[in-house]
Amino acid sequence: MRVYRLWKRSPRFLCSPAGRPVSSPGRLAACCLLLAGLLQTTGPATAADDTSAPTHPKIPGFERFFADAETPTRGGGLLLLGELNCTSCHAASQELATTLLPRQAPVLTEVGTRVRPEYLRKYLLDPRATRPGSTMPDVFTGLSQAERTRRVEALTHFLASTGTVRDEVPVAVAVARGEVLFHRVGCAVCHGSQRDGAAQLETSVPLTGIAEKYSIPGLTAFLQNPHAVRPSGRMPSLNLVDTEAGDIAAYLLRDIKVTPNVEYTWYTGDWQTLPDFSQLKPEGAGKAAGFDLSVSGKQNNHGVRFKSYLPIEADGEYTFHAGSDDGSRIALNDHTVVLNDGLHPFTFRSGKVKLHPGLYYLTVDFFQGGGGQELRIEYEGPGISRRPLSSAITLDKKATPGMENRFKVSKTLAAEGRQIFQQSGCASCHQLNEGGSRLKSQLAARPLAELNTGRGCLAENVPAGLPAWSLSAAQRKSLDHVLKSAESLQPVQRIPHLLTTFNCFACHQRGEIGGVEQARNDLFETTIPEMGDEGRIPPTLEGVGDKLNAAWLKHVLDSGANDRPYMLTRMPKFGAQAATLAKLLTAADEQTLAEIPVIDQPELRVQAIGRHLAGDKGLSCIKCHYVGRIAATGIQAMDLTTMTRRLREDWFQRYMINPQVYRRGTRMPSAFPGGRTILPDILDDRADAQLRALWVYLEMGNQAPVPSGMLQQAIVLVPGDEPIIYRNFIENAGPRAIAVGYPERANLAWDADYMRPALIWHNAFIDASRHWTGRGQGFERPLGDHVLALPAGVPLAVLPDEETAWPAEPAAEAGYRFLGYRLDEHRRPVFRYRLAEIEVEDHFVPEPGQPDAGFRRTITLKSPRAPSGTLWLRAAVGKVEPEEGVTGSWLIDGVLRLQQKQHADTADGAENAREPLRRTVDGKTELLLPVRFTDGKATLVLTYHW
Amino acid sequence: MPDTVFRRISPRFQRILRTVPVLTGSLALLLCGSLLAAEDAAKAAQKPPAESDYYPIVSLPVPEGVVLESGALELLADGRLAVSTRRGEIWLVDQPLAEDASTATMKRFAHGLHEVLGLESRDGWLYATQRGELSRLKDTSGDGRADVFETVNAGWGITGDYHEYAFGSKADAEGNLWVTLCLTGSFSSQAPYRGWCVRITPEGKLIPTCSGLRSPGGVGANAAGDMFYTDNQGPWNGTCSLKWLRKGSFQGHPGGNRWYDLPAVTEAMGAAPVEPESGSRIMVEAKKIPEYEPPAILFPYKKMGQSASGIVCDTTEGKFGPFAGQMFVGDQTYSTIMRCSLEKVRGHYQGACYPFRSGFGSGVLALELSPEGTLFAGGTNRGWGSRGTKPFSLERMQWSGKVPFEILEMRARPDGFELEFTRPVDPETAARPESWQLGTYTYIYQSSYGSPEVDHTQPVIRQAQVAADGKTVTLTVEGLQEGHVHELHATGVRSAEGQPLLHTEAYYNLNYIPAAEQAAAE
């Protein structure tokens, strides 16, 4: 019988700091109890003697759970029987075959379009060395090297005869996107991180040699639908969309070397549209493979011109696509075919052109302003599906593009290879269809039931002529062990077996088995870190057949799911084979324990009660769960409208009473402490009835009306007789902003980080709802009109000379200290700060104006002594125009009329008498006003009208 | 202002003090005699004891239109209660102790402040800890409204993340206010002192005091005047906790350690501690990192609560019931107040927490205890849900004068625990080992969010010995686990009158097992 040896430790949680198992008596006892039914000791422990070469077939589940088992187990053996596809040669009983769900070998029907012949040759010559961990045996054992080489050559020609590989160049942006995707969506969970220096884990399926094996189009096609080639679901589909498959392929094949096929020149400049590159002096030039923007080494303000030749073989209409961020152009023989000009995010534009056979002179121009940059040039035409143009161009006027090193299939060799394919057992495992029917294997092998242990394929030294897997000692022992006992798995035992088979345990835990390995923990990411591991680590499968309804469980396994948008690792599509698992889980887990009450009220009233319960005046589900497209007020946990589609109501009733029982460590609070509702006035204080009502409401799905508390309403602050002060995060006024709304409908935001007025505006003051509902994330903008930004940076400085730029350092570093504010008799704040020994007050008072009120600003400075050198106030930055005929009046940026009012005590005889200074430094024009101290005191009065 | 003299009294002396009212209570009970006992027992059978019998909660009226999301509370010398709000207002409640709570009125003292989570009155000023600074406010015109808003210190950084909260304490013996600063986004430290505790001197100087904070929920002193704060489950915090802000210590989250490079920090704290290893255990790391002060009390997640918040210490000398000298900590999610007892073992605080009172109107955040023994609790559930369904609340709670049958204090012994009760136990049930259930576990100390309970063990209670006065039971335990929470359920224990405990559970955080000589010295 059974299978699963005791876990020494759970990799996620039980690892002690030194990596030693944490052994505490309680923990071990708990494990023992839980696993007692699954655990079997088959006899005295034998010494572990796994000394086989590290190239034995790598099956993650075997490596993780069985490879270092002290005694072989049936579970390990059965796993190998299925994963090595033994039963494709050695016929098994129908019952066993069903139980195993054997892993079918890749379908080779069009392998020539996918895999490079050179790789096939190398791989067939020595599968183990070429792809360590491969599950394909060496079928040419015992042959002379010459004979082996001959047969492999023939097989290679046969397989290559099924199609030709199309090549493409990896593009830097795609590689970058692919790297993120590969490590984030789930690829790396089975294959391991491919980043430089990442450890290769024993439990990973290695990707060794992948760059030799595939071309980008071939791998892309495979990733888009892996089940077409590998029907048994071990390589699941991640439901990749848009460019995702291509991006991952580009990343995995990033080191492909392709013959240069373009000449480029690059330029720098600040353009709004494509310049005429022929009139510019290039900064650099060279040859590249494909339209590679990295040739300039620039991210911003550069342009590249690519030149190449496009051979056209067939007469007809061709369509060219220029996709770019920012502008691009495609020209053939100097005639523009597509123009995608201007500064813009990534967009495609297309153009059609009739072409005759011949060689065309191709120009592709590109320019980049700022932000993201990308260039994709594609084409399609008679007999040519839409594809990157880089696969069709050449710098060699005589050559046919892409044919330089193309493998030439010999018909004779291919015919011979076809025979070998049938005779040597290839056809036993690999499906290869010709004209719709599968090539038959001519190899005969004994049925599984008649096999002897330790012999044939299972011998330590496999006899000549038999397929050799280089099995590890543990693998041989496990297979031997399983051959000795004929009984099949019981349905309940099939669950861990299948969870291992499909490597579900790499992400999910069930009971004490599986779950994320510590070494892969960092691969699991979330968009909402605050959700903790619940937002990041795939859910437990404990009781999953109780939780999810049968149809949904089947759907999830069959098609994948994406109900947790915050979780970046995806639940992949395993296909119909894995869906078998759904039935087993349902049968094993499903419980009917809750008594679901009938509520004697019309459904629409029950729905309304449920809606109330979901809202902020009920159970507050909406604080954390979003509803359809309406965001929750806290974290964004799963969409409430999907619940009834997924869950069983019986489970829902029990879960809601005590979530912790069903989901250990969940942040989902129980709204029913001790099984009692916290809302006794609803439905006669009955928790079950309330949950029923909630369920009925949730069953409305995307028709469900939004519960109370979700639609955030504006909280407009309106000054009455006195100003309103609002101190919070305000956009362009900083995290220490102090906004003031005055009754005169002129408003101010003063930035206490820089001691400066930051914004002034008219009419409505501010909407406080961003900060006064939910958690209050983010910076709020003024609610009113005519918002004007005043100079950034510190307000006052002594400059060594008139050419020195205004200091950019933060106020604290420049010697400023905020002192707070006092309210004047009309309760308007007078802001106070200190600069070194100068104490400053900054007082804004609205004054009438047309058509809107303005401000009269009085800045008072006190200092025990006048500063050495002129102290300047930076009054304005921008276009500064002195107003004709009026002294001390300027128009700033054509909108703000700024006037300096003379003050009696500073008009004459002041120390450091200087005139206002209008100057341009570093391309910025600014207006500086001198601060004139008299008897240690200075006052500046400015009016602002806009 | 609470009696600072009392704060300096040693814990030992306080223990003596605290027994006085309890003794009188039990004497009275004895005198009333057995006639009543039978009647009591009959009543007890009908209706189990409820928290509200001992500590009734009363709401204070909030005027229509006022959103009183209380962030901090402070009783003023004139008897008014200052309430600051997350919307930046400060309200003064007149007659907060009025017998009929509904007659209390309130008036707005200030507005336009930035989420005030600390209040303290001193020398005619009201000190308010805002997100970006410590300020002090005064009404100079006498119209009952503040007109001077002085910045005392704005020396910590703020980037505009909502998680960048600042909680301010009451003044310590030197007049310093301690400010606990949440990390940016509760994960990292993007501006100076995020994830730190700083103290602001009466002169307005900032002194870096502790590193390693994550997401504080409150800060307050114990009876000895040592400062504590609550931290919440998240990275490097397996569950919520009460932590001792030992000067110069590291509190466990290395996210803010980059500020050890600041000259002010080097001067006050020295070099940065060694970074803890993720995936380890608290006490494993505490032994490696001398600066690391392990949490004094862990509030087991989902058992005690989910969001530990405000802190008060019972310095009323018995006016608040039998728990004099103990600390009370709010839980925002559970809308509860929990009770904590602390003892010092090998120079570090550790102790136990107990359920105390549930059923507050909103998520409990701010607490204040009057010298007369009235506990004020302010609540909010904005952004974070709570069991109390009101969006905000201001409530007060007094002791009814009846002594609940509770575990008064669980203390560690070299070979077990000593349990002191508020009333004499029934010696027969208390002496049965099977009346008690004890399990232990701890949490992973790790960089990812929170932790499940791990490393469970099942110690064996060999003996339960009841002291002559019936108030103390000594448990001899085989298999104490240093560094584990010891979760005790005294479900089988009955009072001398046959009543069950009001709360049967206690969670002792056994960071250190006391050595035999220390136990003897006590």
Side-chain angles (χ1 to χ4, degrees):
Chain A
M1 69 167 245
R2 57 237 139 249
V3 219
Y4 290 92
R5 73 189 185 85
L6 174 64
W7 268 51
K8 281 195 198 131
R9 52 185 156 137
S10 149
R12 186 143 69 96
F13 291 128
L14 289 182
C15 196
S16 75
R20 292 185 305 274
V22 174
S23 59
S24 66
R27 157 64 61 186
L28 280 177
C31 292
C32 290
L33 275 174
L34 276 164
L35 290 180
L38 286 175
L39 186 70
Q40 185 200 24
T41 321
T42 45
T46 52
D49 58 349
D50 191 346
T51 53
S52 58
T55 56
H56 63 267
K58 279 281 171 63
I59 292 139
F62 188 87
E63 296 300 320
R64 185 164 171 189
F65 300 128
F66 304 104
D68 55 350
E70 284 162 1
T71 53
T73 57
R74 223 179 117 65
L78 284 172
L79 184 67
L80 292 176
L81 274 189
E83 297 311 283
L84 298 177
N85 202 11
C86 302
T87 53
S88 67
C89 290
H90 304 290
S93 67
Q94 181 60 38
E95 192 189 356
L96 184 61
T98 321
T99 308
L100 288 178
L101 297 179
R103 174 164 79 166
Q104 199 184 323
V107 175
L108 298 181
T109 301
E110 287 177 331
V111 66
T113 62
R114 205 171 70 239
V115 181
R116 296 180 195 278
E118 296 81 4
Y119 176 84
L120 286 171
R121 180 193 289 137
K122 186 176 170 190
Y123 180 51
L124 292 169
L125 271 174
D126 193 346
R128 304 254 83 75
T130 310
R131 188 161 171 243
S134 166
T135 52
M136 188 179 87
D138 179 0
V139 295
F140 299 130
T141 51
L143 295 181
S144 69
Q145 195 55 41
E147 180 56 16
R148 170 186 283 263
T149 309
R150 194 187 67 77
R151 291 197 193 183
V152 165
E153 194 60 23
L155 262 182
T156 304
H157 279 259
F158 168 58
L159 295 172
S161 72
T162 60
T164 47
V165 169
R166 198 155 57 75
D167 238 316
E168 255 176 43
V169 182
V171 180
V173 278
V175 170
R177 282 193 304 248
E179 178 177 359
V180 173
L181 279 168
F182 181 89
H183 293 96
R184 177 174 278 174
V185 299
C187 311
V189 174
C190 287
H191 292 295
S193 169
Q194 302 296 306
R195 292 195 167 110
D196 292 341
Q200 188 57 247
L201 303 176
E202 281 300 305
T203 49
S204 290
V205 179
L207 294 177
T208 321
I210 192 169
E212 292 175 83
K213 179 177 182 181
Y214 285 113
S215 69
I216 290 178
L219 184 54
T220 304
F222 171 66
L223 293 174
Q224 278 164 342
N225 184 10
H227 299 303
V229 175
R230 297 170 181 261
S232 306
R234 267 58 157 190
M235 164 73 194
S237 161
L238 282 161
N239 289 323
L240 301 171
V241 294
D242 301 329
T243 63
E244 289 177 341
D247 291 346
I248 293 173
Y251 169 64
L252 292 173
L253 307 180
R254 58 196 177 279
D255 294 329
I256 281 186
K257 294 282 175 283
V258 177
T259 320
N261 58 3
V262 295
E263 285 176 352
Y264 65 85
T265 43
W266 65 273
Y267 311 82
T268 53
D270 189 357
W271 305 292
Q272 305 290 309
T273 55
L274 276 168
D276 181 357
F277 287 125
S278 62
Q279 301 301 312
L280 300 175
K281 185 172 173 289
E283 304 267 340
K287 288 182 180 178
F291 307 103
D292 181 359
L293 297 181
S294 69
V295 294
S296 76
K298 300 264 173 205
Q299 295 296 318
N300 296 311
N301 297 329
H302 70 119
V304 189
R305 165 164 283 186
F306 299 97
K307 291 178 183 173
S308 187
Y309 296 103
L310 173 65
I312 290 293
E313 287 164 8
D315 225 335
E317 190 179 66
Y318 289 77
T319 310
F320 290 80
H321 309 275
S324 61
D325 170 5
D326 294 305
S328 61
R329 183 179 80 109
I330 303 174
L332 288 174
N333 292 352
D334 289 332
H335 292 286
T336 298
V337 180
V338 190
L339 182 63
N340 188 4
D341 208 354
L343 294 167
H344 52 72
F346 185 85
T347 39
F348 267 113
R349 279 178 176 274
S350 307
K352 283 184 180 5
V353 62
K354 280 212 164 60
L355 299 176
H356 304 296
L359 195 65
Y360 289 79
Y361 175 54
L362 170 78
T363 311
V364 172
D365 288 343
F366 168 83
F367 87 97
Q368 153 75 352
Q373 64 165 348
E374 187 166 4
L375 176 65
R376 293 199 340 238
I377 303 295
E378 298 172 358
Y379 87 127
E380 58 196 301
I384 300 168
S385 60
R386 181 166 168 170
R387 62 188 60 174
L389 187 59
S390 61
S391 61
I393 55 177
T394 177
L395 287 175
D396 181 352
K397 289 188 202 177
K398 290 174 207 121
T400 311
M403 292 299 286
E404 292 89 348
N405 302 308
R406 185 165 287 178
F407 187 90
K408 293 179 182 60
V409 175
S410 144
K411 283 189 179 169
T412 326
L413 277 174
E416 194 188 333
R418 186 173 180 279
Q419 281 192 334
I420 297 170
F421 188 83
Q422 289 183 279
Q423 288 162 356
S424 302
C426 309
S428 302
C429 289
H430 291 283
Q431 179 183 341
L432 195 156
N433 289 3
E434 285 183 345
S437 61
R438 178 174 175 166
L439 272 190
K440 288 209 166 48
S441 177
Q442 293 160 3
L443 188 81
R446 292 156 70 182
L448 199 64
E450 294 172 22
L451 294 182
N452 294 318
T453 59
R455 298 178 57 186
C457 320
L458 293 178
E460 194 167 352
N461 295 305
V462 176
L466 290 181
W469 270 272
S470 303
L471 296 172
S472 70
Q475 289 175 330
R476 281 200 313 276
K477 274 189 212 156
S478 294
L479 283 166
D480 277 348
H481 181 74
V482 79
L483 288 180
K484 285 183 208 147
S485 69
E487 72 187 286
S488 302
L489 288 176
Q490 300 300 311
V492 69
Q493 297 165 334
R494 289 189 66 200
I495 292 173
H497 173 75
L498 289 177
L499 293 175
T500 315
T501 298
F502 291 103
N503 207 16
C504 308
F505 284 139
C507 291
H508 299 278
Q509 198 166 354
R510 183 173 161 94
E512 291 292 310
I513 309 174
V516 173
E517 291 170 278
Q518 185 73 44
R520 294 183 208 274
N521 197 304
D522 289 347
L523 294 170
F524 292 82
E525 296 179 72
T526 174
T527 57
I528 308 179
E530 201 173 343
M531 289 181 73
D533 280 356
E534 275 186 289
R536 196 172 74 82
I537 303 287
T540 174
L541 299 183
E542 190 68 30
V544 67
D546 185 30
K547 171 184 175 178
L548 299 182
N549 66 60
W552 185 253
L553 190 54
K554 181 172 178 301
H555 170 82
V556 168
L557 286 161
D558 198 355
S559 309
N562 188 23
D563 290 299
R564 303 175 196 269
Y566 45 83
M567 191 176 287
L568 292 173
T569 312
R570 298 178 191 172
M571 170 66 197
K573 165 189 174 132
F574 284 90
Q577 261 218 26
T580 314
L581 186 53
K583 279 188 200 152
L584 294 168
L585 287 167
T586 300
D589 294 349
E590 193 177 277
Q591 298 191 67
T592 302
L593 300 172
E595 281 182 33
I596 296 166
V598 177
I599 302 172
D600 189 20
Q601 286 196 45
E603 189 180 42
L604 61 90
R605 290 193 176 274
V606 180
Q607 286 170 341
I609 295 168
R611 180 189 183 195
H612 173 80
L613 287 166
D616 62 347
K617 295 179 177 63
L619 306 178
S620 285
C621 311
I622 50 95
K623 300 260 171 179
C624 294
H625 289 278
Y626 68 102
V627 176
R629 290 163 63 188
I630 312 289
T633 57
I635 55 171
Q636 304 300 320
M638 286 176 87
D639 185 354
L640 284 182
T641 64
T642 67
M643 296 296 174
T644 58
R645 192 179 74 206
R646 299 166 46 244
L647 304 176
R648 292 179 58 241
E649 189 177 0
D650 193 275
W651 181 89
F652 175 78
Q653 282 266 348
R654 289 174 276 131
Y655 174 76
M656 291 293 288
I657 296 293
N658 195 348
Q660 211 62 10
V661 170
Y662 294 91
R663 208 171 147 78
R664 203 164 64 111
T666 183
R667 301 182 77 204
M668 165 92 181
S670 169
F672 301 89
R676 296 287 304 244
T677 172
I678 54 174
L679 301 164
D681 299 338
I682 296 175
L683 291 171
D684 305 326
D685 196 13
R686 283 186 56 186
D688 57 353
Q690 293 184 2
L691 288 169
R692 172 70 191 145
L694 192 54
W695 183 267
V696 170
Y697 162 69
L698 294 176
E699 274 182 326
M700 298 173 81
N702 56 15
Q703 298 300 308
V706 175
S708 158
M710 291 207 93
L711 294 176
Q712 299 191 3
Q713 288 169 349
I715 304 174
V716 180
L717 303 185
V718 184
D721 296 338
E722 293 177 348
I724 290 182
I725 298 179
Y726 183 74
R727 201 162 174 170
N728 220 309
F729 308 139
I730 294 175
E731 197 171 292
N732 297 319
R736 286 194 172 96
I738 303 168
V740 191
Y742 298 87
E744 294 81 358
R745 296 177 71 77
N747 311 287
L748 163 73
W750 205 84
D751 176 356
D753 256 345
Y754 283 91
M755 318 300 150
R756 67 180 185 113
L759 303 170
I760 48 177
W761 69 98
H762 290 132
N763 300 335
F765 175 39
I766 206 151
D767 171 11
S769 63
R770 170 191 292 278
H771 298 131
W772 288 2
T773 55
R775 296 183 180 185
Q777 176 66 317
F779 287 75
E780 183 57 39
R781 296 173 180 175
L783 185 61
D785 310 309
H786 320 151
V787 181
L788 209 61
L790 299 178
V794 295
L796 298 161
V798 175
L799 299 173
D801 54 61
E802 290 185 5
E803 281 69 49
T804 303
W806 194 256
E809 62 197 321
E813 287 173 29
Y816 284 85
R817 223 186 99 205
F818 184 51
L819 299 177
Y821 52 86
R822 61 181 172 82
L823 303 181
D824 70 9
E825 66 279 16
H826 298 288
R827 303 193 76 76
R828 302 177 192 117
V830 181
F831 299 100
R832 298 173 52 235
Y833 59 92
R834 192 193 292 275
L835 169 57
E837 54 188 8
I838 310 168
E839 210 171 298
V840 188
E841 288 197 343
D842 193 1
H843 189 195
F844 277 75
V845 174
E847 65 168 24
Q850 280 302 327
D852 295 300
F855 278 117
R856 182 183 182 89
R857 178 188 185 193
T858 308
I859 307 170
T860 314
L861 304 94
K862 279 183 204 156
S863 177
R865 60 195 142 243
S868 57
T870 304
L871 181 69
W872 297 98
L873 171 82
R874 189 156 72 151
V877 177
K879 198 170 141 203
V880 179
E881 297 171 281
E883 200 172 0
E884 273 184 45
V886 189
T887 313
S889 183
W890 301 269
L891 188 64
I892 313 298
D893 286 333
V895 54
L896 168 66
R897 174 147 285 106
L898 184 70
Q899 289 188 307
Q900 183 174 17
K901 306 287 181 190
Q902 290 301 324
H903 216 270
D905 61 346
T906 60
D908 296 308
E911 304 151 32
N912 309 317
R914 294 289 298 264
E915 290 304 309
L917 175 64
R918 186 166 59 123
R919 63 171 197 165
T920 303
V921 177
D922 292 347
K924 275 186 194 153
T925 302
E926 56 191 20
L927 174 66
L928 306 184
L929 303 177
V931 180
R932 295 165 181 165
F933 279 89
T934 308
D935 299 333
K937 195 178 171 216
T939 306
L940 283 97
V941 179
L942 301 172
T943 60
Y944 294 74
H945 290 273
W946 72 105
Chain B
M1 197 183 134
D3 185 357
T4 48
V5 177
F6 187 78
R7 285 181 183 169
R8 291 196 207 103
I9 294 172
S10 80
R12 268 193 73 191
F13 183 54
Q14 280 171 45
R15 204 171 295 147
I16 298 164
L17 277 182
R18 118 165 53 97
T19 54
V20 175
V22 181
L23 277 177
T24 8
S26 47
L27 261 177
L29 242 162
L30 279 174
L31 289 173
C32 287
S34 48
L35 272 177
L36 288 174
E39 209 174 309
D40 277 355
K43 272 185 197 162
Q46 285 165 5
K47 188 169 163 272
E51 290 171 346
S52 54
D53 299 341
Y54 308 99
Y55 290 94
I57 299 173
V58 177
S59 283
L60 293 173
V62 177
E64 185 73 29
V66 176
V67 178
L68 199 79
E69 298 164 334
S70 329
L73 302 170
E74 168 76 351
L75 273 163
L76 307 182
D78 61 11
R80 285 183 296 173
L81 176 70
V83 184
S84 68
T85 76
R86 294 174 70 193
R87 289 191 173 188
E89 296 177 322
I90 296 178
W91 290 79
L92 299 181
V93 183
D94 217 16
Q95 305 265 335
L97 296 169
E99 197 156 331
D100 178 0
S102 68
T103 62
T105 55
M106 59 177 74
K107 198 182 161 199
R108 196 171 79 169
F109 177 66
H111 86 283
L113 302 167
H114 201 172
E115 205 138 2
V116 178
L117 301 177
L119 280 179
E120 161 81 346
S121 59
R122 193 175 8 152
D123 311 329
W125 292 91
L126 188 59
Y127 283 70
T129 308
Q130 308 192 55
R131 273 190 189 276
E133 65 177 54
L134 173 65
S135 321
R136 58 179 196 172
L137 284 55
K138 195 180 231 176
D139 166 23
T140 59
S141 67
D143 66 352
R145 301 188 293 169
D147 44 35
V148 176
F149 297 73
E150 270 191 20
T151 302
V152 179
N153 188 285
W156 63 82
I158 182 168
T159 68
D161 181 274
Y162 71 81
H163 247 298
E164 291 173 333
Y165 290 111
F167 287 87
S169 76
K170 309 294 183 192
D172 67 11
E174 287 92 44
N176 303 310
L177 294 180
W178 297 49
V179 181
T180 55
L181 298 163
C182 185
L183 287 166
T184 311
S186 81
F187 282 83
S188 63
S189 185
Q190 302 301 324
Y193 304 126
R194 302 302 341 166
W196 283 65
C197 169
V198 298
R199 56 193 203 280
I200 310 295
T201 68
E203 299 74 37
K205 189 174 175 247
L206 181 152
I207 305 173
T209 303
C210 300
S211 64
L213 285 72
R214 181 190 166 262
S215 184
V219 56
N222 70 352
D226 285 327
M227 203 61 80
F228 288 79
Y229 85 105
T230 48
D231 213 331
N232 278 282
Q233 192 214 33
W236 301 103
N237 286 272
T239 188
C240 305
S241 60
L242 179 71
K243 300 188 181 184
W244 175 28
L245 291 165
R246 176 166 60 80
K247 286 173 194 164
S249 64
F250 164 65
Q251 297 289 331
H253 191 306
N257 283 7
R258 55 194 290 202
W259 308 116
Y260 274 96
D261 294 343
L262 295 176
V265 175
T266 314
E267 187 192 321
M269 311 257 301
V274 176
E275 292 248 331
E277 187 177 340
S278 180
S280 182
R281 300 291 180 271
I282 291 166
M283 290 313 295
V284 172
E285 297 305 301
K287 281 171 187 156
K288 291 197 299 208
I289 307 169
E291 296 89 343
Y292 177 33
E293 183 62 34
I297 285 181
L298 293 174
F299 301 112
Y301 202 66
K302 299 277 189 173
K303 291 177 174 170
M304 284 299 284
Q306 263 179 267
S307 305
S309 58
I311 302 172
V312 287
C313 180
D314 178 3
T315 52
T316 64
E317 303 180 40
K319 291 179 188 150
F320 188 58
F323 307 111
Q326 296 195 350
M327 297 181 75
F328 293 83
V329 173
D331 189 89
Q332 192 269 340
T333 308
Y334 276 31
S335 304
T336 55
I337 293 178
M338 310 176 284
R339 181 164 65 81
C340 301
S341 67
L342 291 169
E343 57 184 336
K344 244 185 180 174
V345 177
R346 293 196 225 165
H348 299 272
Y349 280 109
Q350 63 182 40
C353 58
Y354 322 83
F356 175 61
R357 184 66 166 104
S358 57
F360 290 89
S362 186
V364 175
L365 182 58
L367 299 180
E368 173 84 344
L369 183 58
S370 83
E372 298 78 26
T374 300
L375 181 72
F376 294 95
T380 163
N381 67 5
R382 166 147 71 82
W384 285 269
S386 66
R387 280 185 178 168
T389 55
K390 292 179 187 162
F392 53 87
S393 60
L394 179 62
E395 289 159 312
R396 73 175 199 209
M397 186 168 84
Q398 277 154 320
W399 179 40
S400 70
K402 293 182 213 161
V403 176
F405 180 42
E406 292 267 50
I407 301 172
L408 176 63
E409 192 166 339
M410 179 174 181
R411 293 186 285 266
R413 313 289 306 168
D415 58 351
F417 292 100
E418 186 176 270
L419 277 299
E420 188 180 339
F421 290 83
T422 53
R423 285 162 46 183
V425 298
D426 159 35
E428 197 190 322
T429 51
R432 278 188 216 138
E434 59 270 26
S435 293
W436 310 79
Q437 294 90 43
L438 183 63
T440 92
Y441 46 85
T442 186
Y443 297 87
I444 307 165
Y445 181 44
Q446 60 183 353
S447 60
S448 54
Y449 200 100
S451 161
E453 293 170 5
V454 294
D455 308 348
H456 291 85
T457 74
Q458 207 70 53
V460 179
I461 297 172
R462 286 287 175 219
Q463 197 189 26
Q465 201 171 6
V466 183
D469 66 355
K471 298 276 284 286
T472 306
V473 179
T474 307
L475 300 181
T476 310
V477 178
E478 192 176 299
L480 289 180
Q481 296 291 328
E482 197 163 65
H484 281 211
V485 172
H486 286 62
E487 177 173 339
L488 182 72
H489 292 260
T491 41
V493 175
R494 294 289 175 272
S495 70
E497 299 79 35
Q499 270 192 349
L501 284 158
L502 181 57
H503 301 102
T504 57
E505 60 269 46
Y507 303 86
Y508 192 97
N509 184 30
L510 191 63
N511 287 338
Y512 299 96
I513 299 174
E517 50 286 12
Q518 181 181 350
E522 291 200 356

